[in-house]
Amino acid sequence: MKMNNPKRLYKTLLPILIVCLVYSCSKSGGDSTPAPTPNPCAGITVTVTATVSNVTTINGNNGSIAASATGGSGFSFSINNGSFQSSGTFSNLTAGVYTITARNSNGCTGTGSFTITAPDVCTGKTITITANTTNSDPCAGTGSITVSASGSTGFTYNVNNGTFQSSNVFSNIAAGTHTIGVKDADGCLKTNSFTVSSVAAGTRFTDVRQIIQTNCVSCHGGSSPQNGIDFSKDCVIVQQKDRIKARAVDGNPSFMPTGGQLSAADKNKITAWVNAGGRFID
C-alpha cells in the first residue's frame, strides 16, 4: 500500500528510528575511550639481598658482592647505576658503599645498599711518643718541646690539636701541660701529654715583686683592682714595668704609692730590674 502522505510516513518511521538509536548506543556503551593498560609492576616489590666479601688487604681490590632478588623473575643487575648484566656477582671491588639495582623481566626494579670493608691500616701498629722539654718564662712563653716518635714512618706533628707540621720542634711554648699528636703516613694518630715547667723567677724580679706586693696590692688587687691592674699576678707586674718605674721612681705624673714615696733602696731595685730587661727571669 502506498503512503503518499509525508506526515503519515514520518509518523510511521519515527518510532523505528528511535529504536535504532537506542540500540546503537547500548551496543557502544556510550564511551569510545579505550581501557587503560594494566601496570605490570603494580603490587610487585623487588627486594635485593647480597652476600658481601670484604677486602682482605690494606688498599686492596679483592672485595665482591653476590646479589639476588625476589619479586619476579628473569632478573638482571647493575652496580652504582652502571650497565645491567645477567649475573648478580660483582668482583674486584675496593672498600666502600655500593648500590645494587635488580630489574625483573617486566622492568620492575628494586635497590639495596651494601658496604665492603678493608682491614684497618693502623691495626698492629704501636706508635710511641717521647719528648724533651725546656722550661718556659711564664710571662713570655719561651719553652720548647722536641718530639721523637717510633713505630712507623712519615711522621708529622702537632701541639694542642693545632695544624700538623713536618718539624718535630715546637718553640715559644707556655708553661703548662700540652698534648702532642703524631700522625704517620697512613694517617694513624697517637697522642701523649708533656709538661713544660716554669723557669725560676729572677732575683731582681723577686725583689720588685716583694716591693709591689707590700705597697701596691692593697689597691691593685682583689676582685676589683684599681684601674683593672692586678699586681698580685706576676705577669701583670712584668706587663706594667714602665708604669711602675714612671710612678714609683720618677713620680710621673705623680708619685705612687699614695701612702708615701718608696725608699731610695726600693727605687734602685725597680730601676735595676727595668734596666736588666724587666722580665720574670731577670
Side-chain angles (χ1 to χ4, degrees):
M1 179 181 65
K2 289 185 178 180
M3 292 187 179
N4 296 323
N5 189 331
K7 291 183 177 180
R8 178 176 295 179
L9 178 62
Y10 174 77
K11 289 180 181 181
T12 302
L13 294 178
L14 180 60
I16 297 173
L17 290 172
I18 292 174
V19 170
C20 290
L21 288 172
V22 171
Y23 178 77
S24 173
C25 290
S26 64
K27 289 289 286 182
S28 65
D31 187 359
S32 61
T33 302
T37 302
N39 180 2
C41 298
I44 300 297
T45 299
V46 175
T47 301
V48 182
T49 58
T51 299
V52 175
S53 296
N54 293 319
V55 174
T56 59
T57 59
I58 296 172
N59 299 322
N61 65 342
N62 63 336
S64 65
I65 299 174
S68 60
T70 59
S73 60
F75 285 104
S76 56
F77 303 85
S78 79
I79 186 168
N80 291 347
N81 296 316
S83 300
F84 280 90
Q85 62 182 44
S86 59
S87 172
T89 299
F90 300 90
S91 304
N92 302 320
L93 302 178
T94 59
V97 179
Y98 295 88
T99 299
I100 303 297
T101 301
R103 182 177 64 190
N104 68 16
S105 57
N106 289 323
C108 311
T109 62
T111 62
S113 181
F114 306 95
T115 300
I116 294 177
T117 63
D120 185 351
V121 69
C122 300
T123 298
K125 289 186 180 181
T126 302
I127 297 174
T128 302
I129 306 173
T130 58
N132 292 322
T133 64
T134 59
N135 295 341
S136 177
D137 178 338
C139 302
T142 56
S144 67
I145 302 176
T146 301
V147 185
S148 297
S150 61
S152 189
T153 58
F155 290 117
T156 54
Y157 312 84
N158 76 349
V159 60
N160 297 332
N161 296 316
T163 303
F164 279 89
Q165 63 182 44
S166 58
S167 174
N168 65 326
V169 178
F170 296 93
S171 303
N172 301 319
I173 301 297
T177 299
H178 303 273
T179 300
I180 297 296
V182 173
K183 183 169 61 175
D184 72 1
D186 291 322
C188 304
L189 177 66
K190 175 75 173 182
T191 61
N192 204 352
S193 295
F194 301 94
T195 298
V196 174
S197 299
S198 176
V199 297
T203 55
R204 288 186 173 89
F205 173 79
T206 301
D207 290 340
V208 172
R209 177 171 59 189
Q210 184 60 52
I211 295 169
I212 297 298
Q213 289 179 346
T214 301
N215 296 278
C216 303
V217 170
S218 58
C219 292
H220 292 281
S223 59
S224 298
Q226 185 174 327
N227 297 326
I229 300 173
D230 186 358
F231 280 141
S232 67
K233 298 177 180 179
D234 290 347
C235 294
V236 174
I237 296 174
V238 173
Q239 293 166 1
Q240 297 294 326
K241 60 182 180 291
D242 293 332
R243 177 187 177 92
I244 291 170
K245 183 178 182 298
R247 300 300 300 272
V249 178
D250 303 329
N252 181 19
S254 60
F255 278 105
M256 294 293 286
T258 56
Q261 292 188 41
L262 298 177
S263 67
D266 285 348
K267 290 180 180 180
N268 288 336
K269 289 177 181 179
I270 293 173
T271 300
W273 172 62
V274 172
N275 288 342
R279 297 169 298 180
F280 179 86
I281 61 175
D282 292 321

